[in-house]
Amino acid sequence: METSNTRVHSFAQTEINWDKLDKTKFYVVGAGLFTGITVALYPVSVVKTRLQVASKDTVERNALSVIRGILKADGIPGLYRGFGTVITGAIPARIIFLTALETTKIAAFKMVEPFKFSEATQAAIANGIAGMSGSLLAQSVFVPVDVVSQKLMVQGYSGHAKYSGGIDVACKVIKSDGIRGLYRGFGLSVMTYAPSSAVWWASYGSSQRVIWRLLGHGKDLEKAPPSHGTIALVQATGGIIAGATASCITTPLDTIKTRLQVMGHDKRPSTVHVVKNLIAEDGWLGLYRGLGPRFFSMSAWGTSMILAYEYLKRLCAKDE
């Protein structure tokens, strides 16, 4: 049975470890790359959020009708409500996440090595631990951003209040509920994003190994390195598989979390109350509101993110 060091070396042509990166270049270039991806995919988050908070009598009950309603009322800018808040908070949150992810990954590989799991299983466990660790740390920054941006996404929609901007939202939330108001749904966010991140990275890490073996590379990547195009195709496929898996597992928690975060200050529903309302309105399928946009978002975002992320690591690798 090969050791974790051998396994890491086996994929040296397709994976670049943290200690091989120029950190300054990684953060600066990465901020630009991920900002671009966020610009492209942000409207999907707006549509998903509106679907999840729609009341029973709301006319817009599917993604296309939501998009038409937004464009009719606000034009293209309506698809980017809350974007400024998100992009301001997303950069530090992503730096925290990626740093924790990369620094935890190798340690996790070494931790699971004694159990003698298969390579795909070891990759799934190590990547899952790293993904969960990164997400747990990033939530301290991301949850307040999420609360503010989601209120902006749904303002004036289905009876929700209107705001003049992100600062106005934050001030009103703090005035009503104190700082803890910005962390409404924090527990559910951790319960949603930490497992989602763990599932995503576990699926991505293991699926890559399986795909490489199906392509006949296995342990010999260093002897017969694949082309950059093949590497990108395998990584993209892994991203799609990971996004599909994570979205199907975690959408119910995401729907509940979103509803809790956008409720008015005078309405303080419990998690149980939110669940009961969703089931009363649409049955158990109510917990999967926004699954289509969330599936598309996680798959598209995951694929775009991982391709940009792996490209970024190659771009920022130190010269040997």
Side-chain angles (χ1 to χ4, degrees), residues 291-312:
L291 174 61
R294 180 168 167 78
F295 172 84
F296 176 80
S297 177
M298 291 196 74
S299 295
W301 167 256
T303 303
S304 303
M305 184 276 291
I306 205 63
L307 288 175
Y309 178 60
E310 299 288 5
Y311 170 73
L312 174 65

Side-chain angles (χ1 to χ4, degrees), residues 69-187:
I70 292 174
L71 292 176
K72 183 178 179 180
D74 301 309
I76 296 296
L79 294 172
Y80 284 88
R81 280 187 174 179
F83 180 77
T85 302
V86 165
I87 207 63
T88 300
I91 292 175
R94 197 154 288 127
I95 288 174
I96 293 171
F97 176 80
L98 292 178
T99 303
L101 175 78
E102 288 294 336
T103 53
T104 305
K105 193 185 298 181
I106 299 300
F109 263 107
K110 293 178 179 178
M111 184 180 73
V112 299
E113 179 190 349
F115 295 99
K116 306 299 181 183
F117 294 127
S118 68
E119 188 171 0
T121 301
Q122 182 169 324
I125 296 172
N127 278 270
I129 292 172
M132 180 172 285
S133 299
S135 181
L136 286 172
L137 291 173
Q139 289 311 304
S140 60
V141 174
F142 188 71
V143 169
V145 172
D146 209 23
V147 169
V148 173
S149 66
Q150 287 183 338
K151 283 183 176 291
L152 290 173
M153 287 178 190
V154 302
Q155 62 177 322
Y157 176 73
S158 193
H160 291 281
K162 291 188 177 182
Y163 303 92
S164 60
I167 294 177
D168 183 38
V169 174
C171 289
K172 286 180 177 177
V173 170
I174 292 173
K175 183 178 180 180
S176 174
D177 298 332
I179 294 295
R180 70 177 184 176
L182 292 174
Y183 283 87
R184 179 182 275 190
F186 180 76

Side-chain angles (χ1 to χ4, degrees), residues 99-304:
T99 303
L101 175 78
E102 288 294 336
T103 53
T104 305
K105 193 185 298 181
I106 299 300
F109 263 107
K110 293 178 179 178
M111 184 180 73
V112 299
E113 179 190 349
F115 295 99
K116 306 299 181 183
F117 294 127
S118 68
E119 188 171 0
T121 301
Q122 182 169 324
I125 296 172
N127 278 270
I129 292 172
M132 180 172 285
S133 299
S135 181
L136 286 172
L137 291 173
Q139 289 311 304
S140 60
V141 174
F142 188 71
V143 169
V145 172
D146 209 23
V147 169
V148 173
S149 66
Q150 287 183 338
K151 283 183 176 291
L152 290 173
M153 287 178 190
V154 302
Q155 62 177 322
Y157 176 73
S158 193
H160 291 281
K162 291 188 177 182
Y163 303 92
S164 60
I167 294 177
D168 183 38
V169 174
C171 289
K172 286 180 177 177
V173 170
I174 292 173
K175 183 178 180 180
S176 174
D177 298 332
I179 294 295
R180 70 177 184 176
L182 292 174
Y183 283 87
R184 179 182 275 190
F186 180 76
L188 272 174
S189 288
V190 170
M191 288 174 62
T192 300
Y193 290 122
S196 179
S197 181
V199 170
W200 198 99
W201 284 98
S203 300
Y204 176 70
S206 60
S207 63
Q208 270 201 100
R209 266 67 177 184
V210 172
I211 294 169
W212 281 125
R213 293 205 179 283
L214 290 174
L215 292 176
H217 288 286
K219 304 175 187 178
D220 299 322
L221 285 174
E222 71 273 26
K223 295 179 182 177
S227 66
H228 286 306
T230 302
I231 293 174
L233 183 60
V234 171
Q235 290 169 344
T237 303
I240 293 171
I241 293 172
T245 305
S247 61
C248 289
I249 292 174
T250 60
T251 289
L253 286 172
D254 186 59
T255 301
I256 297 165
K257 172 192 70 68
T258 300
R259 284 210 157 196
L260 281 173
Q261 289 178 331
V262 302
M263 290 295 183
H265 307 310
D266 56 333
K267 307 170 187 174
R268 301 176 188 276
S270 65
T271 301
V272 173
H273 180 69
V274 170
V275 172
K276 285 182 177 179
N277 277 351
L278 283 167
I279 294 174
E281 291 177 7
D282 289 324
W284 288 99
L285 289 178
L287 295 173
Y288 279 88
R289 277 190 183 179
L291 174 61
R294 180 168 167 78
F295 172 84
F296 176 80
S297 177
M298 291 196 74
S299 295
W301 167 256
T303 303
S304 303

